[in-house]
Amino acid sequence: MGIKQEAARLNTRMRQENPLVHNITNYVTVNDCANALLAIGASPIMADDTLEAADITSISSALVINIGTLNQRTVESMVLAGKKANELGIPVVLDPVGAGASDLRNKTTGKILEQVKITILRGNLSEVSYVAGLSVSTKGVDTSDKDNNKDARLVALAAAKKLCCIVAVTGAIDVITDGERVVKVSNGHPLLSKVTGTGCMTSAITGGYAGTKEDAFTAAAAGILSMGIAGEIAFEKAGALGAGSFHMALIDALSNLNEETIEEMGKIEEE
């Protein structure tokens, strides 16, 4: 069975199991992440207070840490939740939003990586380049034009080998690797970059797939494929109407996504 078929099968399993996914995420996209998880078949919970972050993680199937909107309180919650996840064998997805853009983001990323074992790292080329220890030219939370000249495959491999985890670099062509295996996904649509939160939603639904406790490589591939395919379907249904309608159609597409659609539409290349 190839990776596309494995990812497709995992969609069915996730919808059957309805894993609880704890998200410590940013307030710009928290509602989008919750709706995306519900649509794809998982169950979201958002708890970022230090007094309950670890407790909520302990009853969850996966933890997603997103550093999009940082403050000192949530940084501590991220570490506490991450440590509890590691203690209990719960997969951790890290989305290092804007890593490289500020001292606080850089220190927070470093602190999390030092104290928490990450299962899946999901970010754009600039963010993953920073995590890999490569030179980086950030543009807020987007990939800079300068970083776009980098080889995403090499950047992903460098980060995966450094952190000993699954790395997914998302862009025009997405790259997923465990440091040895590499797959490339070419699903998606440029309008995805014009709607706030599509990256955060991708990390969240990847957490949903990881919550099945299936192979993390398959979970990462399933999350990336799902958002890319949903983007294509949403554009076909509502793209001509504008970004707002596309946004709504994206949630519709995720809610209707199934094993058959992933197998039919998935564009994934295994090296």
Side-chain angles (χ1 to χ4, degrees), residues 99-114:
S102 73
D103 187 56
L104 176 60
R105 290 175 190 273
N106 298 347
K107 287 182 177 178
T108 299
T109 301
K111 183 175 183 178
I112 293 170
L113 293 176
E114 287 171 6

Side-chain angles (χ1 to χ4, degrees), residues 40-86:
I40 201 73
S43 179
I45 186 168
M46 280 67 175
D48 64 7
D49 194 282
T50 55
L51 295 179
E52 70 166 352
D55 288 342
I56 295 299
T57 297
S58 69
I59 63 170
S60 300
S61 298
L63 169 67
V64 179
I65 298 173
N66 177 310
I67 70 167
T69 51
L70 283 175
N71 61 64
Q72 292 299 321
R73 176 182 57 80
T74 55
V75 171
E76 188 59 29
S77 295
M78 291 171 182
V79 173
L80 289 171
K83 286 182 175 180
K84 177 59 70 172
N86 287 171

Side-chain angles (χ1 to χ4, degrees), residues 1-248:
M1 184 183 296
I3 186 68
K4 182 169 69 172
Q5 289 70 34
E6 291 176 2
R9 177 181 55 81
L10 193 57
N11 179 270
T12 298
R13 178 176 167 186
M14 180 177 61
R15 290 186 183 280
Q16 293 171 340
E17 295 183 2
N18 188 226
L20 180 64
V21 183
H22 182 196
N23 299 260
I24 301 180
T25 188
N26 78 78
Y27 54 71
V28 176
T29 65
V30 63
N31 185 62
D32 291 320
C33 291
N35 283 326
L37 278 165
L38 287 169
I40 201 73
S43 179
I45 186 168
M46 280 67 175
D48 64 7
D49 194 282
T50 55
L51 295 179
E52 70 166 352
D55 288 342
I56 295 299
T57 297
S58 69
I59 63 170
S60 300
S61 298
L63 169 67
V64 179
I65 298 173
N66 177 310
I67 70 167
T69 51
L70 283 175
N71 61 64
Q72 292 299 321
R73 176 182 57 80
T74 55
V75 171
E76 188 59 29
S77 295
M78 291 171 182
V79 173
L80 289 171
K83 286 182 175 180
K84 177 59 70 172
N86 287 171
E87 177 188 328
L88 298 176
I90 296 167
V92 180
V93 178
L94 173 63
D95 188 338
V97 180
S102 73
D103 187 56
L104 176 60
R105 290 175 190 273
N106 298 347
K107 287 182 177 178
T108 299
T109 301
K111 183 175 183 178
I112 293 170
L113 293 176
E114 287 171 6
Q115 300 189 46
V116 179
K117 178 67 177 71
I118 303 302
T119 310
I120 301 171
L121 175 74
R122 203 293 311 169
N124 65 37
L125 193 50
S126 290
E127 294 158 352
V128 177
S129 292
Y130 175 81
V131 172
L134 306 173
S135 62
V136 62
S137 175
T138 59
K139 182 185 178 184
V141 298
D142 299 318
T143 301
S144 68
D145 292 337
K146 184 177 180 180
D147 286 336
N148 267 327
N149 294 322
K150 293 178 180 175
D151 186 325
R153 178 182 178 279
L154 295 179
V155 171
L157 282 167
K161 290 175 180 177
K162 178 181 179 181
L163 301 179
C164 297
C165 73
I166 308 301
V167 173
V169 178
T170 49
I173 302 295
D174 308 310
V175 178
I176 305 157
T177 183
D178 59 3
E180 295 183 0
R181 298 173 65 192
V182 178
V183 298
K184 295 181 179 180
V185 176
S186 53
N187 288 103
H189 191 276
L191 199 53
L192 283 166
S193 66
K194 302 301 181 183
V195 175
T196 297
T198 53
C200 300
M201 285 188 273
T202 303
S203 295
I205 65 176
T206 297
Y209 283 110
T212 64
K213 301 301 190 293
E214 184 65 66
D215 169 64
F217 190 89
T218 303
I224 303 304
L225 272 171
S226 294
M227 182 55 73
I229 292 170
E232 292 178 3
I233 294 172
F235 180 77
E236 181 181 343
K237 297 291 185 181
L241 299 176
S245 297
F246 174 79
H247 188 185
M248 294 178 65

